[in-house]
Amino acid sequence: MKFKINDDDAVNDPYLKKFMNIYENIAAKDHFNISHIQSTELFKYSKDMIIVKPVNKGEDFICTFCGTHIGNIYGMDITGKHITETNPEQPSKLIIDLLNETLNKNDFIYLSTCISREGFREIEWHQVMIPFWRTDEIREVLCLISTEITKDYSPLLKAL
């Protein structure tokens, strides 16, 4: 799996751009927090969100929320699972490093990749990682993900 960090495809993804415009309006006035995510304006994005918090001083992250669309792509709800449980070793390390960077720099990071599922479907995956406050003391990272199936051979396989 090859990742592109802060590449134009993710930065210019229309779905992510729309969300980021709302985010930037909020962040200009306040710490981005859970109440903002639960607002009517942003709740519609929840199906495409993953929220993670650091564990073991940032050596890993645990998923505290997995949107339904993302769960369908993973083939399971990853809420309660660690990054190291849901990704191969090499991508896990990079993802953990980027999540820590998001929190340490208090800034967002874009990420793109193409993933293959079930050996017959390719999904273009763009995401933005955003630091936010669960409470005054607990910081987490919200990942908003935009996906598009770019190749789907499943109808051909079903016909065989």
Side-chain angles (χ1 to χ4, degrees), residues 12-149:
N12 295 317
D13 181 275
Y15 187 66
L16 298 182
K17 268 184 116 160
K18 190 173 178 182
F19 180 88
M20 289 305 290
N21 286 335
I22 298 167
Y23 162 80
E24 287 170 357
N25 286 333
I26 293 167
K29 302 172 202 156
D30 195 7
H31 283 300
F32 191 62
N33 62 54
I34 195 72
S35 66
H36 296 120
I37 296 167
Q38 295 169 334
S39 71
T40 306
E41 190 174 26
L42 291 180
F43 189 76
K44 62 186 169 194
Y45 293 94
S46 65
K47 67 182 178 37
D48 296 309
M49 289 180 186
I50 295 175
I51 299 174
V52 295
K53 70 177 180 180
V55 293
N56 300 330
K57 298 180 181 174
E59 289 180 21
D60 203 349
F61 282 75
I62 191 166
C63 181
T64 59
F65 177 82
C66 176
T68 54
H69 181 239
I70 304 307
N72 287 338
I73 290 171
Y74 269 95
M76 65 179 164
D77 181 0
I78 60 169
T79 302
K81 299 206 180 287
H82 291 84
I83 295 290
T84 53
E85 290 179 83
T86 60
N87 292 284
E89 185 178 338
Q90 195 60 27
S92 288
K93 169 87 172 94
L94 175 65
I95 292 167
I96 289 166
D97 289 346
L98 292 172
L99 291 168
N100 278 310
E101 184 177 334
T102 298
L103 288 176
N104 294 335
K105 292 185 176 177
N106 199 37
D107 202 1
F108 48 87
I109 295 175
Y110 289 91
L111 182 68
S112 292
T113 192
C114 184
I115 58 175
S116 179
R117 284 287 178 239
E118 300 127 14
F120 56 85
R121 181 177 292 155
E122 286 185 9
I123 301 168
E124 190 174 313
W125 176 291
H126 302 298
Q127 77 180 54
V128 60
M129 300 173 177
I130 304 167
F132 85 99
W133 296 85
R134 170 77 62 175
T135 66
D136 287 341
E137 293 138 19
I138 300 173
R139 292 180 59 214
E140 298 183 29
V141 178
L142 178 147
C143 302
L144 181 70
I145 298 152
S146 173
T147 60
E148 180 183 350
I149 296 173

Side-chain angles (χ1 to χ4, degrees), residues 2-16:
K2 192 174 188 176
F3 291 99
K4 295 184 253 172
I5 301 165
N6 292 327
D7 74 308
D8 289 340
D9 289 341
V11 172
N12 295 317
D13 181 275
Y15 187 66
L16 298 182

